[in-house]
Amino acid sequence: MTNRWLVTGAAGMLGRDLVALLRGLNEPAVALTRHDLDITDRLSVRAVVETHRPTTVVNCAAWTRFGEAEAGESEALLVNGGGARELATVCRDRSIRLVHLSTDYVFDGTSRRPYAESAVTSPINAYGRTKQAGEQAVLDLLPDDGTIVRTAWLYGRHGMNFIRKMVRLEQLRETVDVVDDQWGQPTWTVDLAQQIVALVRHGASGVFHGTSAGEATWYDLARMTFRLLGADPGRVRPVPSDRIAGGELRPRYTVLGHDAWREAGLTPIRHWTTALTQAFPLLNADESQ
């Protein structure tokens, strides 16, 4: 049976790549931006689902503005927690599968080994707490038809991201200061979109970590970006987190483990350096092409 997909947050980096992939696979996909659907509005969510009758909903909609979440946690919670609950409630009532995107920031960053999918969450900032609330709502309401995909350090062709920022700064500055004491996994949105499709086709539920293999600091990622530009990576200078605004609220180590993929019979995402090397020529392409 062909899936009928509904993607919220479809104007973002991941949403755009996911919708493009689905349409390339000739799978029916309704793409809804935040202007099309307010996921915190219960009546609107129900009306959209009743109109389009999807078999799978992928929730890419989120409040992702880290600093503003700290200043207004209740507003972020309304979207990241309440919006996820509204979607999960409708999906439960209509036996629809829900894939909900979450974050590495649900962990406190005190580990020095990759966090397993089953690891206890303990966020240290408002953004992480609001995303944790969304996860819990989906898992409570959809124990069999809900899938949490935690991701991190996303980059893609559509929209601003760390890679594009480094490309711009390489042109503007002789040296660039980049944090070297936060570890994570740079992840290409195209790779993640393919993983989401594989999960749904496989019928997998539960928690999965949708990040690339390997690990890096922001400093490592910046240096590789300079190398791919043909620039001197020595122009990137390492600095500690306390040199940036809000650095103390960001977890230091949020590398995620990928055992759930193997246990489900699926292959995790490839190494981040391999993916970035392939993606890099596309990141600055004209989006109109």
Side-chain angles (χ1 to χ4, degrees):
M1 184 181 77
T2 301
N3 266 306
R4 297 187 305 278
W5 300 74
L6 188 149
V7 180
T8 65
M13 278 194 301
L14 175 60
R16 291 181 69 173
D17 280 339
L18 177 59
V19 171
L21 173 61
L22 292 170
R23 290 176 176 169
L25 294 170
N26 293 317
E27 299 213 9
V30 175
L32 300 179
T33 71
R34 64 178 179 177
H35 300 294
D36 301 319
L37 174 65
D38 176 359
I39 64 170
T40 70
D41 185 328
R42 179 171 302 174
L43 294 179
S44 295
V45 170
R46 289 188 179 277
V48 160
V49 170
E50 288 172 0
T51 297
H52 297 290
R53 297 189 178 278
T55 57
T56 300
V57 173
V58 182
N59 182 31
C60 299
W63 179 299
T64 58
R65 301 183 297 277
F66 178 84
E68 292 180 31
E70 288 298 321
E73 185 168 350
S74 60
E75 295 177 78
L77 181 61
L78 183 65
V79 177
N80 293 341
R85 179 171 291 279
E86 296 299 344
L87 287 168
T89 299
V90 173
C91 288
R92 178 200 61 190
D93 293 346
R94 288 160 177 76
S95 299
I96 297 169
R97 177 168 296 280
L98 174 62
V99 179
H100 175 69
L101 273 296
S102 191
T103 174
D104 59 329
Y105 273 27
V106 297
F107 296 114
D108 60 15
T110 59
S111 178
R112 280 297 173 264
R113 57 187 302 176
Y115 285 93
E117 292 85 353
S118 60
V120 175
T121 57
S122 181
I124 62 173
N125 51 55
Y127 174 63
R129 288 190 292 271
T130 64
K131 293 297 287 182
Q132 180 189 49
E135 285 191 10
Q136 196 59 55
V138 172
L139 294 173
D140 287 347
L141 289 164
L142 292 166
D144 298 317
D145 290 325
T147 305
I148 303 298
V149 179
R150 296 181 183 133
T151 192
W153 294 32
L154 288 180
Y155 64 88
R157 180 177 175 180
H158 307 292
M160 183 52 66
N161 53 72
F162 182 84
I163 306 294
R164 285 190 157 181
K165 181 179 179 180
M166 289 299 106
V167 170
R168 184 180 63 193
L169 291 179
E170 189 277 330
Q171 298 171 342
L172 297 175
R173 299 181 186 176
E174 182 58 34
T175 60
V176 179
D177 292 347
V178 180
V179 168
D180 72 337
D181 59 0
Q182 293 176 18
W183 284 263
Q185 294 154 308
T187 303
W188 188 16
T189 48
V190 168
D191 281 349
L192 180 55
Q194 292 170 347
Q195 292 296 107
I196 291 170
V197 172
L199 270 178
V200 172
R201 287 179 169 177
H202 197 70
S205 60
V207 179
F208 292 82
H209 288 163
T211 53
S212 293
E215 61 183 69
T217 64
W218 292 113
Y219 172 70
D220 296 330
L221 181 55
R223 283 175 60 87
M224 181 165 179
T225 301
F226 270 55
R227 282 194 293 271
L228 290 170
L229 283 168
D232 178 10
R235 291 167 53 197
V236 180
R237 303 187 307 186
V239 297
S241 292
D242 59 15
R243 288 275 299 275
I244 64 170
E248 73 282 359
L249 294 174
R250 296 178 184 268
R252 296 297 178 90
Y253 184 91
T254 54
V255 176
L256 304 180
H258 304 116
D259 287 347
W261 297 98
R262 300 181 184 90
E263 292 167 3
L266 296 167
T267 303
I269 298 176
R270 58 190 166 164
H271 198 277
W272 73 269
T273 56
T274 304
L276 180 55
T277 300
Q278 180 182 346
F280 195 77
L282 306 175
L283 298 182
N284 295 304
D286 182 354
E287 292 190 17
S288 66
Q289 294 179 355

